[in-house]
Amino acid sequence: MKSCQKVIDPIPPFNFDGTVYVPHYFPTPDFSWEPGKAWQTLNLNGKLFGIKMENTGGIDQPKIELTAYSRSKISANQMDNIVKELDWRYGFSEDLSEFLRDFSQDKFLRPVFKRWRGMRVNCANSLFELMIISIVLQNATIRRTVQMMNNLFNAYGSKLRFDGRELFAYWNPSDLNEVSEEELRSLKVGYRAKMIKLVSVAFASGKIDEQKLREADPEEVKKELMKIY
């Protein structure tokens, strides 16, 4: 794997572990974490990357060493797009100063700020990936959900080996164009097969464009997403 590095300077305060790692999420084989370090895969415009983020600063002087891995050389433009995407997902450039000023002395929130100051709300996956996760979470125990996700990754995902880790990367929506509902059901996803198929078709056909939705107001986003089965 070829690699490319870049240093990211988030707007302080920035709580690295509190932002990148959410322990109550069910475990999926596309992400790995240990204090101060996070590894994940990234499917960006159909190209697969391995991502390592390492915290080398502090909450008030944050610094992240980002290393991207790929089977082919990573161009400067691709690296910029990776940083831009991670910024969207983890909020490196979000300014919390107004929020902190208005609420840091709140009696109820003060203990939270003491422990989690600088934490951002993260969105570690793409919209398509989040919708797949939401579907397999329906009416299922965590154990059952993990089983379904692992079956989907084994059938359609790609394994990436980088920095001593082996993680799965998500498939493209179009990868399911020729996959039948029956084939999906064979992966023990049950009635969710129909949803997975139709959501994949909506993204593969361009009916849903995540980049446009990111710039739309919430009501417009809701309207567009409600068009999906």
Side-chain angles (χ1 to χ4, degrees):
M1 297 284 278
K2 301 182 185 300
S3 64
C4 185
Q5 292 185 315
K6 194 160 189 172
V7 174
I8 299 173
D9 297 303
I11 294 177
F14 184 84
N15 188 315
F16 179 84
D17 289 325
T19 298
V20 304
Y21 180 60
V22 183
H24 67 264
Y25 280 3
F26 70 93
T28 53
D30 63 320
F31 184 89
S32 180
W33 171 88
E34 64 183 47
K37 296 179 183 179
W39 297 262
Q40 71 177 87
T41 56
L42 179 67
N43 185 330
L44 190 59
N45 301 320
K47 187 171 179 61
L48 304 182
F49 299 95
I51 301 295
K52 176 186 179 183
M53 293 184 289
E54 184 172 3
N55 182 28
T56 57
I59 290 177
D60 292 306
Q61 292 182 313
K63 192 176 294 292
I64 300 171
E65 287 190 7
L66 167 67
T67 307
Y69 299 84
S70 176
R71 294 189 178 100
S72 58
K73 184 178 179 180
I74 301 173
S75 68
N77 184 59
Q78 286 176 325
M79 195 63 178
D80 288 342
N81 287 335
I82 290 170
V83 172
K84 182 179 179 181
E85 182 64 21
L86 293 175
D87 184 12
W88 167 265
R89 297 188 184 195
Y90 294 107
F92 302 140
S93 60
E94 291 176 4
D95 187 350
L96 302 181
S97 57
E98 183 178 354
F99 174 65
L100 292 170
R101 184 183 66 246
D102 291 346
F103 294 100
S104 60
Q105 298 306 311
D106 181 270
K107 185 179 297 185
F108 177 75
L109 292 175
R110 192 180 300 144
V112 180
F113 280 117
K114 184 176 181 180
R115 181 173 182 181
W116 296 113
R117 189 171 65 91
M119 177 183 178
R120 308 299 204 269
V121 176
N122 83 38
C123 182
N125 296 91
S126 70
L127 178 58
F128 170 70
E129 294 163 4
L130 282 173
M131 295 193 77
I132 297 297
I133 291 170
S134 298
I135 290 169
V136 298
L137 279 170
Q138 290 182 9
N139 299 319
T141 63
I142 294 298
R143 181 178 180 181
R144 176 86 171 88
T145 295
V146 169
Q147 178 192 48
M148 288 187 281
M149 282 303 302
N150 286 340
N151 289 346
L152 289 166
F153 271 121
N154 281 313
Y156 309 117
S158 300
K159 279 186 179 180
L160 298 185
R161 297 176 178 85
F162 62 98
D163 197 52
R165 294 292 194 278
E166 182 178 87
L167 299 175
F168 271 103
Y170 276 86
W171 54 95
N172 298 307
S174 59
D175 292 340
L176 300 190
N177 282 349
E178 305 302 321
V179 175
S180 67
E181 188 177 324
E182 290 70 27
E183 182 179 327
L184 286 167
R185 281 182 177 272
S186 72
L187 301 177
K188 303 185 186 303
V189 299
Y191 69 89
R192 302 167 190 82
K194 184 175 183 178
M195 300 180 191
I196 292 171
K197 178 67 178 179
L198 291 176
V199 165
S200 299
V201 168
F203 278 86
S205 66
K207 181 180 179 181
I208 299 298
D209 186 331
E210 179 176 357
Q211 297 304 317
K212 288 184 179 179
L213 290 181
R214 288 182 182 184
E215 299 176 3
D217 64 74
E219 283 303 313
E220 180 63 23
V221 173
K222 180 179 178 180
K223 180 181 176 181
E224 291 301 311
L225 294 181
M226 289 298 288
K227 293 178 181 178
I228 304 175
Y229 176 81

